[in-house]
Amino acid sequence: SQELEQSPQSLIVQEGKNLTINCTSSKTLYGLYWYKQKYGEGLIFLMMLQKGGEEKSHEKITAKLDEKKQQSSLHITASQPSHAGIYLCGADIRPGNTPLVFGKGTRLSVIA
Amino acid sequence: DTAVSQTPKYLVTQMGNDKSIKCEQNLGHDTMYWYKQDSKKFLKIMFSYNNKELIINETVPNRFSPKSPDKAHLNLHINSLELGDSAVYFCASRGTSGYEQFFGPGTRLTVL
């Protein structure tokens, strides 16, 4: 079974609307990372969350970590076409410098 | 300056051929990784190296052999390429647990 579940798998929103992407882990989280990927390109780091209740923002993107639920949410306010892409959550599910496990990604399209 | 670089960016080859992908990081990180992203954008760890030593080798065919000549480089050699090897391969590096992984731009491998 998948260690990190992301939802929804895809999302189409109208420009200006808000949206939320969720990432739930079946294992204890030692760190949660959000990346964005545009088609044919590499991964762009967005945010890292480590502590329960932690919340970080960058421009119009906010990410929160609910440690008890082993869940993180990524919220985009007033979406723009530049927000379109694939959002991937990655997690440290083991202590130490181990590779990340990733969710299957959420494909976001923003319609003008 | 590019933090994690990979060459080539695109690789198109015939089944049965042997090919290599090179990765270099100029961040002074001790740990480097190879990930594979399939056609459904699912990103999965293949290998993890720490200080030139293999730490993690996920269930990957023996045809794949990573080599780390020094801490800054981690190359991936693939023998007898198969159609199913077609994917995007990402190199990444990380300094310490709890910090982001920096990803290279990816190498899109197409096996015909």
Side-chain angles (χ1 to χ4, degrees), chain A residues 31-91:
Chain A
L32 193 291
Y33 306 79
W34 285 100
Y35 289 86
K36 180 185 173 186
Q37 185 179 25
K38 292 219 163 200
Y39 180 73
E41 296 180 14
L43 278 70
I44 301 165
F45 172 76
L46 295 174
M47 269 168 281
M48 176 184 76
L49 303 164
Q50 285 189 291
K51 299 171 189 171
E54 191 173 8
E55 180 175 322
K56 287 188 179 176
S57 293
H58 175 68
E59 296 179 344
K60 293 185 177 178
I61 302 176
T62 302
K64 299 179 190 178
L65 179 63
D66 185 332
E67 201 171 49
K68 282 185 183 174
K69 291 184 183 176
Q70 294 177 174
Q71 187 177 64
S72 177
S73 60
L74 185 84
H75 185 77
I76 299 177
T77 304
S79 58
Q80 299 167 357
S82 60
H83 287 129
I86 298 169
Y87 288 81
L88 292 159
C89 67

Side-chain angles (χ1 to χ4, degrees), chain B residues 7-34:
Chain B
T7 53
K9 190 167 169 67
Y10 300 96
L11 188 51
V12 181
T13 188
Q14 299 283 339
M15 258 196 325
N17 283 350
D18 304 337
K19 288 293 176 187
S20 292
I21 306 172
K22 294 187 176 181
C23 176
E24 177 181 1
Q25 53 97 0
N26 62 6
L27 299 164
H29 289 166
D30 286 339
T31 308
M32 295 183 73
Y33 312 89
W34 276 111

Side-chain angles (χ1 to χ4, degrees), chain B residues 16-84:
Chain B
N17 283 350
D18 304 337
K19 288 293 176 187
S20 292
I21 306 172
K22 294 187 176 181
C23 176
E24 177 181 1
Q25 53 97 0
N26 62 6
L27 299 164
H29 289 166
D30 286 339
T31 308
M32 295 183 73
Y33 312 89
W34 276 111
Y35 289 85
K36 179 180 179 181
Q37 187 176 44
D38 61 25
S39 57
K40 294 184 179 178
K41 302 300 180 187
F42 184 45
L43 203 58
K44 195 170 179 186
I45 185 66
M46 298 175 69
F47 300 102
S48 172
Y49 264 74
N50 185 269
N51 272 318
K52 304 194 299 174
E53 286 189 27
L54 180 65
I55 302 298
I56 291 173
N57 178 353
E58 293 294 322
T59 309
V60 176
N62 290 338
R63 299 181 294 103
F64 289 80
S65 53
K67 282 212 173 110
S68 181
D70 55 59
K71 256 177 46 169
H73 295 85
L74 180 62
N75 304 323
L76 184 65
H77 189 75
I78 315 168
N79 288 327
S80 304
L81 278 155
E82 299 177 357
L83 293 176

